[in-house]
Structures are given as structure tokens and as C-alpha cells.
Amino acid sequence: MKFELQKIYNGFRLIQERRIKEINSTGRVFFHEKSGALLLSLENDDDNKVFSISFRTPPDDSTGLPHILEHSVLCGSRKYPSKEPFIELVKGSLHTFLNAMTFPDKTMYPVASRNEKDFFNLMNVYLDAVLYPNIYKYSEIFMQEGWHYELDSPDREISYKGVVYNEMKGVFSTPESVLFRNIQRSLFPHTCYGKESGGEPDVIPELTLEKFLSFHKNYYHPSNSYIYLYGDGEIPPQLKFINDEYLKNFDRIEIDSAIRPQLGFSGLKEVTDSYPIADTEDERDKSYLSLNFVVSSSTDAEVYLAFNILEYLLLETPAAPLKKALIDAKLGKDVFGQYERSILQTIFSVVVKNSSENRKEKFKEIVQETLGRLAGDGIDKRLIEASINIKEFSLREADFRGFPKGLVYCIQCMDSWLYDADPFMNMNRLLKKLKKL
Ligand SMILES: [Zn+2]
């Protein structure tokens, strides 16, 4: 079907349309006039259809509110009052993906299915869950998913329990998670990224039911939502369903959920933290050393892609020059890096594993010297070409942890869309441009 710009389809005004050759799709952005919801669709011949609804949910503390809410809305809703519709869905549906994810600044509810009827059913369950959850009716949901006191017997001590509380106690037991939490907290102390959206176990019990419910009321509104449709399904019936069953019941409101940037520091900041090891373990060579840099805004398409390639080239290929320099200097047993892009200001990290604190200065020296040398002398052209080719392939294949392709693209679109930039920004022909440079 042909769509016309600015025309309204089942309550949705088409505001942008673009052919995206690289992923063989037509991308469209619609604005739902009555409710203020934004909807993005990627139309193509992939039968593995994806639907997702995301909300911008920047936390202002580390009680894990966004994460607890993510769990709680899936514990029953208006049309699906069963206590565990999510578990029942997992059993009865033909879905190829079904989950919910809490990010540092957004919460995403994606589903995927190859079966048309199943796809509509999944959309129905998820939209009902996020817009009409039973959390207002039953305060037990908050206590069960968030936190509550538990007393096994009168002579025992009272303890905290809760699904998210227990889950987060597990999460913070690995050194990598402690490290990456510290990286974001130290680089962005004055923004939502300085808080723990998943919840810090010691802080989770500070969350009140009142604050929990008002967070839902404020942020889980269509005016703060980003809806995504992907695949070979017919778009008009999908729009009609979302409008008739849900969005037409909401009026547009102003919501301040803007993600604010962190101002730069005047110099390098140093942070030391610890992680738990077993009594029987030796503390020697258990240190992690890490250097981290805020690179740019994730809405800078060229840097977004170029750094993704650069991180791979410097630290992940067999000939990776930065990794090699650090290993050769015997700073630790393993070296890895990361370029974090699902965040307003992207981060480049270099990490040495199984090192010791007294090798810290040497580590800084080698990173600086190697990067300086590569910037001065240039990088081997063949290495650059090979890295671009691998990244180009992975963009096209979108093969990531067994996720459906459509979901990988959804996350990529959100990387710019959430910050009010063009959602298709990271999918166009930049690779060709980079190759030419
Ligand atoms: Zn969880």
C-alpha cells in the first residue's frame, strides 16, 4: 500500500518515510494525534514480525523503580487479570521472542511472532499490561516484585525479600557488572546514568508504593511512548488495532522525561571499588584496570558508527593493536573493550583483567602512547577495511544473541529516536561514506 505524507491513517499522521536499502525496508514514522504516541514501522518481507512499546524512564534514584515496574506490569491487567499472564503467554504462544528489558533510560516491551493471529494477541497482552496494569488494584504486586519483609520464624531475624531485590543481589556479584556500573556512575554523576535503574539492593527498600505508582502514572502514558512495528504484516490493520483498542482512549499530555547530558570534567577522575571473592581465593592478580572516555552524543551518526568500528579494530580483531600492546606489556591476562551506544553520551572503555593495582600507571601510559602512535602514524589500511567489512556484515545480518532481526533494528533505532533524533540515522549509507574516507 502507498502512504502519503501528512495523511492520517487510523488516527496516525505519517510524518516521515524513507526507503532503507541496506536492510531492504521502508521506514515510516507516525504521530498519533489524540494520544501523542510516536510509532515507527519497518515494512519488509521478513515474516518474523516484531512489536515493541518503549517508554522513556530516567530514574532519579537507585531504588530500581523502572526495573520493579517492568516486572510488575506483567503481573496482570484489565483484560488479562491472571496473576501471571506472562508465564501463560510463554506456554501458549507461538512467539519467537517475548521479554521486557530495563535500560538505564528506557523500558522496552518487545514481542515477535511469525503467526499473524499470535502477533495480534501478543500486542494485545503487552499494550494492556503497560497501559492498564493491576498494580493500582493490588499492592501485593509491588511487594512481591519489589521488596517486602519476611520472617520465617519468631526467633529468626526479619529479612528483605522480593523478586527484583533478589535478582539484583545476584547481578552485583560478578566483577564485570560492578565495574560497568561504576563506569557509568563515575562518568555521569549528575544525570540518570549515575543512578541504577535495575536497583541497588541496599537502596531498593527505600522505594514506597506511592512513588512507584506515580512513576507509572507519569511515564507509562502514550505521550511518552515509542511504538515499533516490523515485518511483513499489513500496516493499516495494525494501526487500526492499536488506535481502536488503546490509544484513542488517551489524551495527549506534556511529560518531562528529557534525558540531560553530563558536563565534562576538568581532568581524569579516579575511582576505586571492590567486588566479592570467596574466602579461599587469593587476592593476587584479581584487579581490573579500566580507562573510560565519553566520546560524543549518540545522535552523531558518523561518530556512532566510526567508534563502533574503531573499538573493534583496536581491541577485538586478532591483530588489534591496543590489545596487543597491553598483553605484550604483561599488564594482565585478558584485555577487552566496549563502545556503549545505547545511552545519550557514548562511552569508550578499555579494560585489563587479572591485573594488579600497582600496574595502573603503566596501563595509562601504554594506552596513551599506543593511541598517540596510531593517531600519528595511521592505522594499517587492510585492518580498517577488514573491520568495516565485518561490521557491515553484522549490520545486515543483525545477528545478536539470538534476537530476531527486527528487535536488533528496534534497539538501533531507539539509540537515536529516544533522544529526539532521526530514528533511521544509524541505518543509512554511512558505511559507504566511511569507506571512501
Ligand atoms: Zn528483572
Side-chain angles (χ1 to χ4, degrees), residues 15 18 69 72 86 107 113 141 163 168 210 244 289 292 329 353 362 379 384 430 436:
I15 54 175
R18 189 186 297 173
L69 194 53
S72 300
F86 189 72
T107 312
S113 179
I141 294 177
V163 175
M168 292 314 287
E210 212 180 354
D244 294 0
L289 301 176
N292 304 281
K353 221 172 135 166
K362 189 90 193 140
I379 303 167
I384 300 179
L430 269 172
K436 276 196 205 118

Side-chain angles (χ1 to χ4, degrees), residues 1 21 54 95 136 153 169 255 267 294 296 298 313 336 356:
M1 167 174 168
K21 232 175 72 192
S54 305
H95 65 272
Y136 295 94
S153 65
K169 265 170 81 172
I255 296 168
V294 173
S296 77
S298 63
L313 182 161
F336 62 94
S356 63

